[in-house]
Amino acid sequence: MSLSRKRSIIVRRLLQAIPVIVLSTFIVFGLLKLVPGDVAVTLAGDNASDARIAEIQHIYGLDRPFLVQYGSWLWKAVHGDLSSSLVSSESVLSSIERCLPHTMLIVVLAMLLALVIGIPLGIAAASKPGSWTDGFVMTVASLGVAIPNFWLGMLMVAFFSLDLNWLPATGATPISEDFWDAIRHAILPACALASGGIAEVARQLRSSLVEILSSQQVRTLHAKGLPPSSILWRHGLKNVSVNLLTVISLLFNRMLAATVVVEAVFAIPGMGNLIVNGAIHRDFPVVQGVVFAMVLIVVTLNLLTDVLYSILDPRIS
Amino acid sequence: MTNPNRMVGMLSRREILALAGSAALASMTGLPAFAQEAAKKGGILKVAAPANPSSLDPATGGAGSDHSILWTMYDTLVEWDYTTLKPKPGLAKWSYPDPKTMVLDITKGIKFHDGTDLDAEAVKFNLERNRQDPRSNVKADLTSVASVEVTGPLQVTLKLKNPDTALPAILSDRAGMMVSPTNIKALGNDTNRKPVGAGPWKFVSWADNASIVVTRNETYWRPGRPYLDGIEFSIIPELATALRSVIAGENEMAFSLPARLKPVIDRAKNLQVITAPTLYCIQLYFNYARAPLNNVKVRQAINFALDRQAFVKATMSGLGEPATMTLPSSHWAYDKSVSTLYPHDPAKAKKLLAEAGFKDGIELTIGSYNDQDSVRRSEVLQAQLGAAGIRLKFTRGTIAEISAQFFATEKKFDVLLSAWTGRPDPSMTYALGFDKGAYYNAGREADPELVKLIQQSRESEDLAERAKVFAKIQRFIMENGLSAPIAFQYELDALSKKAQGYKPNLLGKPKFENMHLG
């Protein structure tokens, strides 16, 4: 594929992202307005009265028509202003700037763990299907998928933090402030988050690798006299790389979502924390801002995946 | 319970374990150990706070959980006694030369953190802002004030539209927190993110949902105070996590913990556990403006069907007090005679239902929240009322969702299982919950007699006199079954051994002014 063609594909995909962002923020906005509960009640506080709530709705423009409210949010967002929290009046952009690094750190760390542990496990299982190793790896993988990550997180805190005192039980340090302390805080949440990922990478890798290794092409390679290790590493893994990439990108998106729970268990002031708090108070600028950022991340990631597909497998364009 | 206000105090783990759930708790007098040891100065206290403040501007904020953080930065005109909530002088002393005039005499020489004098002009500025600024959430607290006049360099006189002796207590709450006028003039409502008060600590930083840091006010007006160099709040809404942070030594204190975490605190080594009564009342709100709860007999039946003692045991591990009215037994306006109106009596409940025309029992819709503790409460409630033929049909959801459906315009559900967090003055509780048109009175209707009594409760300055009026209000509310109080939740806090001097208060919102690090 020519470079210019590739570039035009990327541009097209980026343009496709725009309706996705508009639509997803619109749906979230609609949901926040549809479910009962009103940020004006939070704002009116303990001494709320009907009149006071109406007054607040007017002050904050919450009494305007639905589309006008969404439109004014979108107009500002297009101009780079994600508004401020209606409750605490912190600018949403600075909230995201502060929270996103915490979330990304544990997600990236969890992803690394999933790959570093999951890939060797998958290979070990696939290289001798039906063997004792295979059975063991698949059992562990099933457990990994089945165990809820928040529960695993609590167990790990009880053991590694409270009993052994090796790692901090809660909180997070900005990575820009103290790199090693940030990593120390991120290890347990990343492990909790990675458990399902390790299992999934191992299982997916095993099944696609088993399929490839039993294909006619591999039989030919065997007949040609290639050593099994060379078949596995050079031909087998290269062929499953596209599958693996799909798993990774799906997993990354899922991990982003799972941080909502893991962050609560470990008291990490990340994006999950931000959106939960925003949603509880119907603080829609905050919720919208987080959704906006998340959609942007996911869209970019999918785009990156597509580009990598075409590099790994030239047949995909 | 002859000495009801003596439940406050630090009990050792073993003592509290032995006493948990038993009425003998009341006889354990507060061990005033903290009062005797000399407080050391210095050190930073790390605290796990359960909620992000709604605002750090007392006038515009709204959440009851804000106070513990606000009090670190803002002093109030009036303060209260920790155990009874009787008002006492704070930044100012008050007096009523006549029922419609209140005079505030401000203590000399107090300055805000930015150097602005806390004088009569500053107090007037604050009170005018609190009662007139469109964004002020405390306007309703100050409706009785007709005008605020400066009558001396350190004296402010409030002219009142009608006698209002709830004002001292009101001025111990948000309305009495003094904010630097210089700061407001410079920042307007952005003072929310850069607050300047006259409290024992100065604001340093606030990151939403993450942390709040305050540091010592070197020129604080109370000599020798505060003990702590600063406080660092980590905001951890997941309370089990907050407790783990204390067990792991990352924080020195976690407060407002649910009773279900008590065994976890007990198992942990090196923790102090503190329990104390609060005004936090778990109760059933009724929409009595429409059928079937417009029938007083049905409301009374619910009150008879409740086994409050069992409720406390089952849902609070005994860390609570059965509620027979909206005030706990240690409160200055508690009336013992009201407390015996509703013994647990399912047979009586059935009889009342039959008289009301529901021979085969009755089905009521009820809203409740979906957190772990609320679900447990709703299950116990369902069993208790079920035994008297009252079948509850629950709808569960988030607090914002369900409470809005019940209190705001939608008027869903006959009953709401929720809580009342309490107010410094009982008249605020009654005005907000039972007055005509009040938001927390779902039906918005009120008996003229009750409306008159609520007004009357603010007329006398004498607490004994006021207590008599509150007794009448309380009797009226309970006899008519306008709500069904169930239990007062005890405050439960976990502190490291290092954190010393903490005294719980009846409001259940921690103040850190007496704390120091051992």
Side-chain angles (χ1 to χ4, degrees), chain B residues 211-386:
Chain B
S211 69
I212 288 171
V213 180
V214 294
T215 187
R216 172 194 294 281
N217 169 13
E218 296 293 352
T219 55
Y220 189 54
W221 61 285
R222 284 190 164 109
R225 297 296 186 103
Y227 302 130
L228 298 165
D229 282 343
I231 306 176
E232 285 178 27
F233 294 97
S234 304
I235 297 154
I236 309 182
E238 177 53 45
L239 294 172
T241 304
L243 175 57
R244 280 200 292 277
S245 78
V246 179
I247 298 175
E250 285 150 19
N251 284 315
E252 312 294 346
M253 176 176 184
F255 59 94
S256 302
L257 301 172
R260 72 185 139 83
L261 290 178
K262 178 84 184 5
V264 185
I265 311 178
D266 291 335
R267 266 203 308 276
K269 289 146 255 165
N270 299 321
L271 282 194
Q272 315 170 53
V273 57
I274 290 185
T275 59
T278 70
L279 295 180
Y280 190 97
C281 183
I282 292 157
Q283 62 174 3
L284 298 177
Y285 290 83
F286 298 147
N287 185 346
Y288 43 81
R290 63 168 191 221
L293 287 180
N294 56 358
N295 189 327
V296 60
K297 289 192 169 155
V298 179
R299 303 195 299 262
Q300 286 172 336
I302 296 175
N303 268 298
F304 276 114
L306 286 169
D307 184 351
R308 296 171 165 90
Q309 202 81 42
F311 187 91
V312 169
K313 271 193 194 157
T315 68
M316 307 164 124
S317 322
L319 289 178
E321 177 188 322
T324 48
M325 64 185 93
T326 41
L327 293 172
S329 56
S330 49
H331 194 277
W332 63 266
Y334 175 81
D335 179 40
K336 200 159 183 267
S337 72
V338 178
S339 67
T340 50
L341 285 177
Y342 293 103
H344 177 224
D345 192 345
K348 180 90 185 263
K350 272 187 190 158
K351 201 174 143 242
L352 281 165
L353 277 184
E355 284 169 22
F358 300 99
K359 256 204 318 255
D360 307 318
I362 185 173
E363 185 174 287
L364 296 173
T365 55
I366 176 167
S368 164
Y369 309 135
N370 50 12
D371 61 282
Q372 196 177 344
D373 295 303
S374 298
V375 171
R376 197 201 273 193
R377 278 174 213 146
S378 63
E379 283 162 358
V380 172
L381 196 67
Q382 202 157 24
Q384 289 189 354
L385 298 196

Side-chain angles (χ1 to χ4, degrees), chain A residues 294-309:
Chain A
M294 287 298 186
V295 171
L296 215 58
I297 291 170
V298 170
V299 167
T300 316
L301 210 71
N302 289 350
L303 184 66
L304 198 71
T305 313
D306 287 351
V307 173
L308 283 175
Y309 275 155

Side-chain angles (χ1 to χ4, degrees), chain A residues 43 50 87-89 169-170, chain B residues 54 137 139 192 208 241 250 444:
Chain A
L43 288 168
D50 293 337
V87 178
S88 75
S89 70
T170 59
Chain B
S54 62
N137 271 339
K139 275 190 280 189
N192 171 19
D208 267 16
T241 304
E250 285 150 19
R444 304 286 190 269

